[in-house]
Amino acid sequence: MTSSSSFSSSSQSLTSLAAFGWDEAWAAEFAPYAAQGLVPGRVVRVDRGQCDVMTEDGVIRADTAFVTPHDPLRVICTGDWAAVDATGNPRYVKAYLPRRTAFVRSTSSQRSEGQILAANVDHAVIAVSLAVELDLGRIERFLALAWESGAQPLVVLTKADLVPDPAALAYLVQDVETTAPGVQVLTVSSHTGEGTDVLAAVVADGTSVLLGVSGAGKSTLANALLGADVMDVQETREIDGKGRHTTTTRNLLALPGGGVLIDTPGLRGVGLFDAEAGVGQVFSEIEEYAEQCRFHDCAHEREPGCAVLAAVAEGALPERRLDSYRKLLRENQRIVAKTDARLRAEIARDWRLKSAEGRANYAAKRGR
């Protein structure tokens, strides 16, 4: 925790917020609001139209009517630093400070709007259960969103006690490490305590968001980090390892060893939302091979001199990784195209060219 002597004079009375991430930079950002008589606080929970905000005087309930824009990415969110008018009843959040990072996914609506899950996050902890077969494609999706958010991803393989064979566990870890280049992979068992000390040390620095599908063991993991049974835990179904949503809202909680944790409900869908850079980071080895392709716009499908296809043929790159890379890029392109007229036109033009090429090849084969 940063000592009060390191804060500017305007924030010396707010050292109680340091445990929730308050620092000198946030104090400088907040200065104009302080001049208006507003008080700073961090949003720890959001309900419809209201939120709980941690301030220097403790948690207060505030109305969000002043920060409810039409853009769903600009609504108040767990993890935001808010400027609160605490003088009246009800109290109001008047604004929030610019976000350093934002974890955003695509909604399931036909409009393909973005949904912000957490703000000002340093670590994105992706919980993956070892009680069921690994879904590497889903892990790649979570990683793409995490990288795009600006946070540092971390994959935590939970329920490691259910894989007693060390060799089998090592193979599973290796599969995930191949799927997550540049990302730390930890095996953890909340039942035995294995790995929780390492994880606690990682999340002690900054704000972490806990992500994963229902049944991944997020609530149990959160309780292990908190040192108490704060989050409700329910049994998962033996047939498929799925669980019910024990966490129904996003909650920000201070950890006893330092840092704060945002626990989230289990995510049924993990849709990309303008995450091209994140996809590139997840598949960094493919993008490195692509730099050696003969053509700078190589699609890595049938082009001559494609270094990516050569890597697949040589066994240096798993074909599954290339398939997943293509799939996520196409999905992300479709999402972006719905709000980008120029990109829609480019996609339509490419489709027409490929269709014409296909018809020409078909005609050539028939001797016409």
Side-chain angles (χ1 to χ4, degrees):
M1 182 184 300
T2 307
S3 65
S4 59
S5 61
S6 67
F7 287 100
S8 64
S9 58
S10 65
S11 60
Q12 286 179 357
S13 64
L14 302 176
T15 53
S16 60
L17 285 180
F20 287 84
W22 184 260
D23 59 26
E24 199 168 272
W26 286 124
E29 291 269 11
F30 190 80
Y33 299 106
Q36 300 172 32
L38 303 178
V39 299
R42 193 157 196 198
V43 177
V44 298
R45 177 188 174 112
V46 177
D47 298 312
R48 296 195 175 198
Q50 292 187 313
C51 64
D52 293 337
V53 184
M54 174 60 71
T55 70
E56 62 174 329
D57 296 322
V59 177
I60 64 174
R61 190 75 166 163
D63 195 290
T64 63
F66 286 95
V67 285
T68 310
H70 295 296
D71 184 350
L73 295 181
R74 299 178 63 189
V75 299
I76 199 77
C77 176
T78 302
D80 274 326
W81 282 100
V84 183
D85 181 353
T87 58
N89 186 17
R91 296 149 171 167
Y92 288 97
V93 173
K94 289 299 186 74
Y96 60 83
L97 300 184
R99 293 160 176 157
R100 294 178 181 175
T101 62
F103 195 96
V104 179
R105 69 165 177 174
S106 175
T107 66
S108 58
S109 70
Q110 293 300 314
R111 292 177 292 179
S112 297
E113 296 174 334
Q115 178 190 21
I116 182 166
L117 300 180
N120 302 312
V121 171
D122 301 294
H123 308 284
V125 181
I126 302 166
V128 179
S129 173
L130 290 175
V132 294
E133 185 177 354
L134 289 177
D135 187 337
L136 299 179
R138 180 180 287 133
I139 294 174
E140 287 162 344
R141 284 177 170 276
F142 273 113
L143 288 170
L145 293 177
W147 281 121
E148 190 69 31
S149 76
Q152 171 65 46
L154 168 68
V155 178
V156 176
L157 302 179
T158 65
K159 308 181 184 182
D161 55 292
L162 298 182
V163 188
D165 182 1
L169 183 60
Y171 279 124
L172 292 172
V173 172
Q174 184 178 25
D175 283 345
V176 177
E177 288 176 336
T178 301
T179 299
V183 176
Q184 185 176 8
V185 179
L186 295 177
T187 55
V188 169
S189 170
S190 300
H191 179 68
T192 65
E194 174 195 345
T196 55
D197 55 340
V198 178
L199 178 58
V202 172
V203 300
D205 180 22
T207 299
S208 302
V209 61
L210 189 54
L211 304 159
V213 299
S214 297
K218 297 189 306 303
S219 295
T220 302
L221 191 59
N223 286 337
L225 292 172
L226 291 163
D229 291 337
V230 176
M231 310 306 296
D232 290 335
V233 177
Q234 294 180 350
E235 294 295 327
T236 57
R237 301 192 300 243
E238 291 185 3
I239 187 170
D240 56 10
K242 293 182 179 179
R244 287 175 287 178
H245 295 292
T246 55
T247 303
T248 56
T249 60
R250 289 176 283 280
N251 303 282
L252 186 147
L253 305 159
L255 297 172
V260 291
L261 180 71
I262 299 176
D263 191 22
T264 65
L267 300 177
R268 291 189 178 91
V270 194
L272 301 185
F273 185 80
D274 198 4
E276 183 176 356
V279 173
Q281 187 73 36
V282 175
F283 299 93
S284 57
E285 81 278 30
I286 295 180
E287 302 223 328
E288 288 175 5
Y289 283 124
E291 292 177 358
Q292 304 169 33
C293 290
R294 181 184 302 177
F295 304 108
H296 74 277
D297 59 347
C298 183
H300 321 306
E301 293 179 350
R302 298 183 300 274
E303 296 86 349
C306 176
V308 174
L309 294 179
V312 172
E314 294 166 2
L317 175 67
E319 189 170 2
R320 188 207 68 79
R321 286 280 286 171
L322 179 57
D323 290 341
S324 184
Y325 175 68
R326 290 167 173 160
K327 179 180 179 181
L328 292 185
L329 280 183
R330 286 195 300 268
E331 176 184 325
N332 189 70
Q333 191 178 49
R334 286 195 299 271
I335 293 295
V336 175
K338 290 186 177 182
T339 57
D340 188 329
R342 181 185 57 81
L343 183 57
R344 284 199 302 272
E346 290 180 358
I347 293 174
R349 184 193 64 211
D350 290 344
W351 183 84
R352 287 194 297 269
L353 289 174
K354 288 183 178 180
S355 296
E357 180 184 353
R359 289 193 297 270
N361 290 338
Y362 178 75
K365 288 179 181 180
R366 294 179 59 87
R368 295 180 181 176

